[in-house]
Amino acid sequence: MKTSDFFYDLPEELIAQTPLEPRNSSRLMVLSKTEGKISHNHFYDLPKFLKKGDCLVLNDTRVLPARLYGVRVDTGAVVEFVLLRQHGNKLWECLAGPGKKAKTGYRFKFSDKLNATVTDVLPDGNRMIEFSCEGDFFAVLDEVGQMPLPPYIKEKLEDKERYQTVYSNEAGSAAAPTAGLHFTNEMLSEIKNLGVNIAYVTLHVGLGTFRPVKVEEITDHKMHSEHYYIPQAAAETINSTKKNGGRVICVGTTSCRTLESCAKQYGKICTCSGDTDIFIYPGYEFKAIDALITNFHLPESTLIMLVSAFAGYENTMNAYNTAVKEKYRFFSFGDSMLIC
């Protein structure tokens, strides 16, 4: 298939710039992957579509305030850094711009508590940065850093916690697992009381999730790599759900990619960790999941390709065109879809 097969026309005014309050007031499209039927609901209606014995799989990653602005010690030049991946105690791989002002050996000051030195320039242009700070690094980062919001969001985010899920726990992402932003703690309690199991996995979302597909044939695209972890408790919950005839419902493409990566490598869901660059597109045979909750994704993105693989290409494109017609809100702070 070609990248252009996944294009749809999206008016700019449908790109959500701010999150709704309360979180679960967003709209929820329910799509039948077998029949292609669509119904329009709200996210607070989700429990109506769940059954006792089902299992929701949530990605508990927490977004780092990973955007930092540093002043070069010798010249005063301001350089933007975005933390991508931790390689050591205070050693991080980062994006840097403008790159010509962040060469090996250059030193930067971010605050009275936080300084850094560029230790290496990698072949892809990313920088290795070694930080020094007073006190706990992540506590200082929370004071100094800004949320690395996607480039299509132009509005300022007043509350950083609105770009976190209410169950976020494991710091390490450069972007939020946005399908989970719709849940409230009260709603999760309601779902548990229905007899629905909840399993927490971790996949640290990289900025590569926003990287456009630039090749004509989708099979020529090289996926970015992200780190994931499935704890024993989650593996046991998911496996018992399957054994007892319940549905494994992934919240977000990140949870989906985590389970499918594990099942692809080990032939089952088990406790494991590693890096995954799994690329799911139409023709892929799903091994682990039965249903998917997801937001509406960018045209020609790897995420809409994953959704098309799960729901069917025709169903997906019809759902997206319907969402445009019905004026759904799109992307990170937008509305959601349950595919079951």
Side-chain angles (χ1 to χ4, degrees):
M1 300 183 77
K2 298 187 182 302
T3 300
S4 57
D5 291 333
F6 298 90
F7 177 80
Y8 65 94
D9 190 22
L10 180 67
E12 188 173 350
E13 62 267 21
L14 296 185
I15 301 175
Q17 293 296 313
T18 54
L20 292 179
E21 292 294 345
R23 288 173 180 259
N24 61 356
S25 62
S26 56
R27 295 170 76 181
L28 175 70
M29 177 186 286
V30 178
L31 170 65
S32 167
K33 66 176 182 175
T34 54
E35 300 176 359
K37 292 182 179 179
I38 290 171
S39 67
H40 303 288
N41 310 269
H42 287 88
F43 199 81
Y44 52 70
D45 297 316
L46 176 65
K48 296 192 305 185
F49 301 97
L50 304 178
K51 303 171 186 175
K52 183 178 180 179
D54 285 342
C55 176
L56 283 183
V57 182
L58 307 178
N59 181 7
D60 66 0
T61 189
R62 185 167 176 81
V63 185
L64 294 169
R67 178 169 279 119
L68 296 165
Y69 293 92
V71 177
R72 216 171 94 187
V73 173
D74 57 346
T75 66
V78 176
V79 175
E80 178 190 58
F81 295 91
V82 178
L83 308 186
L84 297 178
R85 179 173 294 194
Q86 189 174 18
H87 287 261
N89 185 26
K90 294 186 179 69
L91 186 66
W92 286 79
E93 182 178 347
C94 304
L95 294 175
K100 63 182 179 181
K101 295 183 179 180
K103 297 180 180 179
T104 301
Y106 288 2
R107 295 183 297 121
F108 291 87
K109 183 181 180 68
F110 300 95
S111 73
D112 290 340
K113 297 180 181 178
L114 188 64
N115 299 275
T117 302
V118 179
T119 62
D120 196 12
V121 177
L122 303 179
D124 60 2
N126 291 348
R127 268 58 177 173
M128 295 299 296
I129 309 291
E130 186 166 13
F131 289 95
S132 61
C133 71
E134 294 181 18
D136 178 74
F137 173 76
F138 290 103
V140 174
L141 182 64
D142 198 49
E143 294 176 9
V144 178
Q146 299 179 20
M147 281 297 177
L149 293 178
Y152 48 74
I153 293 179
K154 311 300 181 185
E155 295 283 334
K156 179 179 172 59
L157 183 64
E158 297 299 331
D159 178 7
K160 288 195 290 189
E161 282 300 307
R162 286 302 276 109
Y163 196 56
Q164 306 278 15
T165 63
V166 296
Y167 49 82
S168 64
N169 187 52
E170 302 293 333
S173 274
T178 55
L181 295 178
H182 306 283
F183 286 93
T184 64
N185 285 315
E186 294 77 13
M187 193 171 170
L188 287 172
S189 295
E190 178 187 358
I191 288 169
K192 290 177 185 176
N193 290 337
L194 289 174
V196 175
N197 300 310
I198 294 187
Y200 293 98
V201 300
T202 305
L203 182 139
H204 291 316
V205 189
L207 289 179
T209 192
F210 303 116
R211 185 182 300 157
V213 179
K214 296 182 178 180
V215 294
E216 184 176 1
E217 296 289 340
I218 63 173
T219 52
D220 293 334
H221 177 68
K222 179 173 174 53
M223 281 289 287
H224 58 287
S225 179
E226 295 169 318
H227 186 74
Y228 74 93
Y229 169 58
I230 301 177
Q232 183 176 349
E236 291 176 352
T237 300
I238 292 165
N239 288 328
S240 64
T241 297
K242 284 281 195 183
K243 181 180 178 181
N244 295 326
R247 297 175 299 171
V248 173
I249 304 168
C250 278
V251 176
T253 57
T254 59
S255 297
C256 171
R257 293 179 71 240
T258 299
L259 295 199
E260 293 298 323
S261 296
C262 177
K264 180 180 178 182
Q265 183 169 353
Y266 299 102
K268 61 180 181 179
I269 300 301
C270 57
T271 180
C272 59
S273 65
D275 294 330
T276 179
D277 59 359
I278 191 171
F279 183 13
I280 298 175
Y281 52 85
Y284 177 85
E285 293 188 9
F286 286 83
K287 303 167 182 61
I289 82 167
D290 302 300
L292 178 67
I293 298 171
T294 185
N295 281 17
F296 291 90
H297 304 293
L298 277 72
E300 301 184 335
S301 65
T302 60
L303 303 179
I304 192 175
M305 294 173 190
L306 183 154
V307 172
S308 297
F310 186 69
Y313 174 77
E314 297 293 340
N315 288 344
T316 300
M317 300 314 292
N318 178 56
Y320 270 67
N321 288 323
T322 300
V324 171
K325 181 180 177 182
E326 296 293 329
K327 299 190 183 305
Y328 274 63
R329 302 167 79 248
F330 280 69
F331 305 164
S332 295
F333 288 140
D335 295 318
S336 59
M337 176 165 53
L338 166 64
I339 306 167
C340 57

